[in-house]
C-alpha cells in the first residue's frame, strides 16, 4: 500500500471532535459576518513619534509605534479578507437549503435564533438541525477546520 493511500485511509478512520470542529466553524462564520458588515477598522497611532530614536534602558531597543500599527493593519485586514473569501468559496459547495440555513443563522444578522430560521424556512426542528449539522461539517472540511480526536494514551 502506498504511503499516501495509507495516510488517507488512517485519516478516514480517525474520529472527529464534533464540539471543537463546530466551534471553529462558527468562529470563522462570525469573523466573516463581521467583515461583511463592518469591514476592517484600522488602528491609528496614539502619539506623534519623535524623529530621533529613543533608547529604553540597557536593552538598546527602540519602539516604532507607526511600524507596528502599519504591520498590524496590513496583516489583519489581509487575514480577515482571506477568511471571508474562504467562507464564500466553501458556501458554494453547499446545497441551496444548507446555504440558506447558514446564511440566515450565521451571516445575515447577529441576533437570529435557530427557532426563527427553521420557522421561516418551514422545516421541522429535527430536519433543520440535521441539515444545519451537515452543512457545518461540510464547511469544516472545505475550510480545513476539522479537529480530530487524539488518543492521549498512545
Amino acid at each position: 500500500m502506498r504511503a499516501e493511500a495509507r495516510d488517507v485511509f488512517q485519516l478516514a478512520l480517525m474520529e472527529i471532535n464534533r464540539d471543537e470542529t463546530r466551534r471553529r466553524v462558527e468562529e470563522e462564520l462570525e469573523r466573516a459576518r463581521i467583515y461583511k458588515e463592518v469591514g476592517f477598522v484600522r488602528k491609528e497611532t496614539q502619539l506623534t513619534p519623535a524623529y530621533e530614536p529613543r533608547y529604553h534602558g540597557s536593552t538598546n531597543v527602540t519602539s516604532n509605534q507607526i511600524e507596528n500599527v502599519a504591520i498590524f493593519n496590513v496583516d489583519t485586514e489581509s487575514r480577515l479578507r482571506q477568511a471571508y473569501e474562504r467562507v464564500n468559496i466553501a458556501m458554494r459547495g453547499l446545497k441551496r437549503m444548507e446555504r440558506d440555513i447558514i446564511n440566515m443563522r450565521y451571516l445575515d444578522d447577529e441576533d437570529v435564533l435557530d427557532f426563527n430560521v427553521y420557522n421561516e424556512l418551514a422545516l421541522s426542528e429535527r430536519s433543520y438541525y440535521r441539515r444545519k449539522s451537515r452543512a457545518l461539517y461540510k464547511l469544516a472540511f472545505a475550510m480545513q477546520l476539522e479537529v480530530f480526536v487524539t488518543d492521549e494514551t498512545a
Side-chain angles (χ1 to χ4, degrees):
M1 184 182 274
R2 290 188 3 227
E4 289 177 14
R6 187 174 42 244
D7 291 341
V8 169
F9 182 70
Q10 287 176 344
L11 187 65
L13 294 177
M14 293 179 70
E15 184 180 350
I16 293 176
N17 183 339
R18 293 181 177 273
D19 294 332
E20 185 63 21
T21 299
R22 177 184 293 264
R23 186 190 65 75
R24 289 177 69 182
V25 172
E26 287 176 347
E27 281 179 0
E28 196 73 11
L29 290 170
E30 179 67 13
R31 261 189 236 114
R33 184 188 64 76
I34 290 172
Y35 183 76
K36 176 181 160 186
E37 288 180 3
V38 178
F40 175 67
V41 179
R42 296 180 163 280
K43 269 189 176 181
E44 294 184 10
T45 57
Q46 299 295 322
L47 302 172
T48 304
Y51 290 107
E52 294 92 28
R54 182 172 173 212
Y55 297 97
H56 301 283
S58 61
T59 62
N60 293 331
V61 175
T62 60
S63 171
N64 192 342
Q65 186 181 14
I66 292 178
E67 177 182 317
N68 294 339
V69 169
I71 291 170
F72 172 84
N73 286 341
V74 170
D75 289 347
T76 305
E77 184 173 15
S78 173
R79 194 171 50 247
L80 287 173
R81 188 177 342 97
Q82 288 173 352
Y84 178 71
E85 290 170 0
R86 189 170 55 202
V87 167
N88 284 334
I89 290 169
M91 290 285 287
R92 292 183 201 146
L94 299 178
K95 294 179 181 176
R96 185 185 54 81
M97 182 61 77
E98 294 170 340
R99 198 171 35 246
D100 290 344
I101 289 171
I102 297 299
N103 274 326
M104 291 172 73
R105 175 63 176 92
Y106 295 103
L107 298 175
D108 287 343
D109 291 323
E110 184 175 359
D111 297 329
V112 175
L113 301 174
D114 289 322
F115 174 80
N116 303 112
V117 176
Y118 69 73
N119 280 332
E120 189 169 329
L121 293 174
L123 292 171
S124 70
E125 183 176 359
R126 182 174 177 175
S127 175
Y128 167 77
Y129 281 112
R130 265 193 265 132
R131 290 178 187 209
K132 176 184 165 188
S133 179
R134 190 177 320 125
L136 287 174
Y137 290 115
K138 283 181 182 179
L139 289 174
F141 284 105
M143 295 187 293
Q144 298 177 348
L145 296 174
E146 68 274 8
V147 178
F148 294 101
V149 174
T150 58
D151 189 13
E152 299 297 318
T153 59

PDB file of all heavy atoms in Angstrom, residues 40-51:
ATOM      1  N   PHE A  40     -12.972  46.390   7.919  1.00  0.00           N
ATOM      2  CA  PHE A  40     -11.862  46.376   8.865  1.00  0.00           C
ATOM      3  C   PHE A  40     -11.650  47.790   9.380  1.00  0.00           C
ATOM      4  O   PHE A  40     -11.538  48.736   8.609  1.00  0.00           O
ATOM      5  CB  PHE A  40     -10.595  45.866   8.189  1.00  0.00           C
ATOM      6  CG  PHE A  40      -9.387  45.938   9.071  1.00  0.00           C
ATOM      7  CD1 PHE A  40      -9.289  45.133  10.194  1.00  0.00           C
ATOM      8  CD2 PHE A  40      -8.362  46.812   8.789  1.00  0.00           C
ATOM      9  CE1 PHE A  40      -8.185  45.202  11.019  1.00  0.00           C
ATOM     10  CE2 PHE A  40      -7.256  46.881   9.602  1.00  0.00           C
ATOM     11  CZ  PHE A  40      -7.169  46.072  10.719  1.00  0.00           C
ATOM     12  N   VAL A  41     -11.604  47.936  10.677  1.00  0.00           N
ATOM     13  CA  VAL A  41     -11.352  49.236  11.295  1.00  0.00           C
ATOM     14  C   VAL A  41      -9.870  49.321  11.587  1.00  0.00           C
ATOM     15  O   VAL A  41      -9.331  48.545  12.383  1.00  0.00           O
ATOM     16  CB  VAL A  41     -12.178  49.392  12.594  1.00  0.00           C
ATOM     17  CG1 VAL A  41     -11.893  50.743  13.231  1.00  0.00           C
ATOM     18  CG2 VAL A  41     -13.658  49.230  12.312  1.00  0.00           C
ATOM     19  N   ARG A  42      -9.227  50.248  10.936  1.00  0.00           N
ATOM     20  CA  ARG A  42      -7.776  50.386  11.085  1.00  0.00           C
ATOM     21  C   ARG A  42      -7.393  51.018  12.412  1.00  0.00           C
ATOM     22  O   ARG A  42      -8.083  51.901  12.903  1.00  0.00           O
ATOM     23  CB  ARG A  42      -7.211  51.244   9.959  1.00  0.00           C
ATOM     24  CG  ARG A  42      -7.374  50.623   8.607  1.00  0.00           C
ATOM     25  CD  ARG A  42      -6.781  51.532   7.545  1.00  0.00           C
ATOM     26  NE  ARG A  42      -6.563  50.825   6.315  1.00  0.00           N
ATOM     27  CZ  ARG A  42      -5.535  50.033   6.062  1.00  0.00           C
ATOM     28  NH1 ARG A  42      -4.619  49.852   6.984  1.00  0.00           N
ATOM     29  NH2 ARG A  42      -5.409  49.428   4.913  1.00  0.00           N
ATOM     30  N   LYS A  43      -6.273  50.549  12.944  1.00  0.00           N
ATOM     31  CA  LYS A  43      -5.703  51.158  14.139  1.00  0.00           C
ATOM     32  C   LYS A  43      -4.974  52.428  13.735  1.00  0.00           C
ATOM     33  O   LYS A  43      -4.453  52.529  12.629  1.00  0.00           O
ATOM     34  CB  LYS A  43      -4.671  50.219  14.776  1.00  0.00           C
ATOM     35  CG  LYS A  43      -5.186  49.290  15.798  1.00  0.00           C
ATOM     36  CD  LYS A  43      -4.013  48.600  16.471  1.00  0.00           C
ATOM     37  CE  LYS A  43      -4.459  47.708  17.579  1.00  0.00           C
ATOM     38  NZ  LYS A  43      -3.306  47.065  18.222  1.00  0.00           N
ATOM     39  N   GLU A  44      -4.906  53.380  14.648  1.00  0.00           N
ATOM     40  CA  GLU A  44      -4.132  54.592  14.415  1.00  0.00           C
ATOM     41  C   GLU A  44      -3.181  54.783  15.576  1.00  0.00           C
ATOM     42  O   GLU A  44      -3.425  54.306  16.681  1.00  0.00           O
ATOM     43  CB  GLU A  44      -5.066  55.795  14.283  1.00  0.00           C
ATOM     44  CG  GLU A  44      -5.949  55.716  13.057  1.00  0.00           C
ATOM     45  CD  GLU A  44      -6.802  56.961  12.882  1.00  0.00           C
ATOM     46  OE1 GLU A  44      -6.564  57.954  13.599  1.00  0.00           O
ATOM     47  OE2 GLU A  44      -7.688  56.929  12.032  1.00  0.00           O
ATOM     48  N   THR A  45      -2.111  55.498  15.325  1.00  0.00           N
ATOM     49  CA  THR A  45      -1.132  55.721  16.393  1.00  0.00           C
ATOM     50  C   THR A  45      -1.693  56.717  17.399  1.00  0.00           C
ATOM     51  O   THR A  45      -2.467  57.608  17.059  1.00  0.00           O
ATOM     52  CB  THR A  45       0.184  56.268  15.825  1.00  0.00           C
ATOM     53  OG1 THR A  45      -0.076  57.470  15.114  1.00  0.00           O
ATOM     54  CG2 THR A  45       0.853  55.248  14.930  1.00  0.00           C
ATOM     55  N   GLN A  46      -1.300  56.544  18.638  1.00  0.00           N
ATOM     56  CA  GLN A  46      -1.778  57.401  19.710  1.00  0.00           C
ATOM     57  C   GLN A  46      -0.986  58.704  19.814  1.00  0.00           C
ATOM     58  O   GLN A  46      -1.536  59.748  20.092  1.00  0.00           O
ATOM     59  CB  GLN A  46      -1.690  56.660  21.049  1.00  0.00           C
ATOM     60  CG  GLN A  46      -2.532  55.405  21.100  1.00  0.00           C
ATOM     61  CD  GLN A  46      -4.013  55.719  20.993  1.00  0.00           C
ATOM     62  OE1 GLN A  46      -4.478  56.698  21.539  1.00  0.00           O
ATOM     63  NE2 GLN A  46      -4.740  54.899  20.268  1.00  0.00           N
ATOM     64  N   LEU A  47       0.304  58.636  19.586  1.00  0.00           N
ATOM     65  CA  LEU A  47       1.163  59.808  19.725  1.00  0.00           C
ATOM     66  C   LEU A  47       1.931  60.042  18.438  1.00  0.00           C
ATOM     67  O   LEU A  47       2.196  59.121  17.685  1.00  0.00           O
ATOM     68  CB  LEU A  47       2.177  59.596  20.860  1.00  0.00           C
ATOM     69  CG  LEU A  47       1.581  59.298  22.238  1.00  0.00           C
ATOM     70  CD1 LEU A  47       2.689  58.918  23.187  1.00  0.00           C
ATOM     71  CD2 LEU A  47       0.855  60.515  22.757  1.00  0.00           C
ATOM     72  N   THR A  48       2.337  61.272  18.225  1.00  0.00           N
ATOM     73  CA  THR A  48       3.204  61.572  17.107  1.00  0.00           C
ATOM     74  C   THR A  48       4.625  61.201  17.522  1.00  0.00           C
ATOM     75  O   THR A  48       5.117  61.675  18.545  1.00  0.00           O
ATOM     76  CB  THR A  48       3.146  63.069  16.752  1.00  0.00           C
ATOM     77  OG1 THR A  48       1.781  63.407  16.497  1.00  0.00           O
ATOM     78  CG2 THR A  48       4.005  63.361  15.545  1.00  0.00           C
ATOM     79  N   PRO A  49       5.286  60.346  16.761  1.00  0.00           N
ATOM     80  CA  PRO A  49       6.609  59.897  17.182  1.00  0.00           C
ATOM     81  C   PRO A  49       7.665  60.974  16.980  1.00  0.00           C
ATOM     82  O   PRO A  49       7.539  61.864  16.144  1.00  0.00           O
ATOM     83  CB  PRO A  49       6.875  58.709  16.270  1.00  0.00           C
ATOM     84  CG  PRO A  49       6.065  58.985  15.055  1.00  0.00           C
ATOM     85  CD  PRO A  49       4.849  59.725  15.530  1.00  0.00           C
ATOM     86  N   ALA A  50       8.730  60.878  17.751  1.00  0.00           N
ATOM     87  CA  ALA A  50       9.883  61.773  17.602  1.00  0.00           C
ATOM     88  C   ALA A  50      10.717  61.273  16.425  1.00  0.00           C
ATOM     89  O   ALA A  50      10.657  60.108  16.050  1.00  0.00           O
ATOM     90  CB  ALA A  50      10.705  61.780  18.875  1.00  0.00           C
ATOM     91  N   TYR A  51      11.518  62.172  15.866  1.00  0.00           N
ATOM     92  CA  TYR A  51      12.333  61.784  14.721  1.00  0.00           C
ATOM     93  C   TYR A  51      13.611  61.074  15.140  1.00  0.00           C
ATOM     94  O   TYR A  51      14.225  60.381  14.358  1.00  0.00           O
ATOM     95  CB  TYR A  51      12.667  63.009  13.867  1.00  0.00           C
ATOM     96  CG  TYR A  51      11.449  63.519  13.152  1.00  0.00           C
ATOM     97  CD1 TYR A  51      10.817  64.682  13.547  1.00  0.00           C
ATOM     98  CD2 TYR A  51      10.915  62.816  12.093  1.00  0.00           C
ATOM     99  CE1 TYR A  51       9.692  65.144  12.901  1.00  0.00           C
ATOM    100  CE2 TYR A  51       9.779  63.261  11.439  1.00  0.00           C
ATOM    101  CZ  TYR A  51       9.182  64.434  11.848  1.00  0.00           C
ATOM    102  OH  TYR A  51       8.068  64.871  11.199  1.00  0.00           O
TER     103      TYR A  51
END
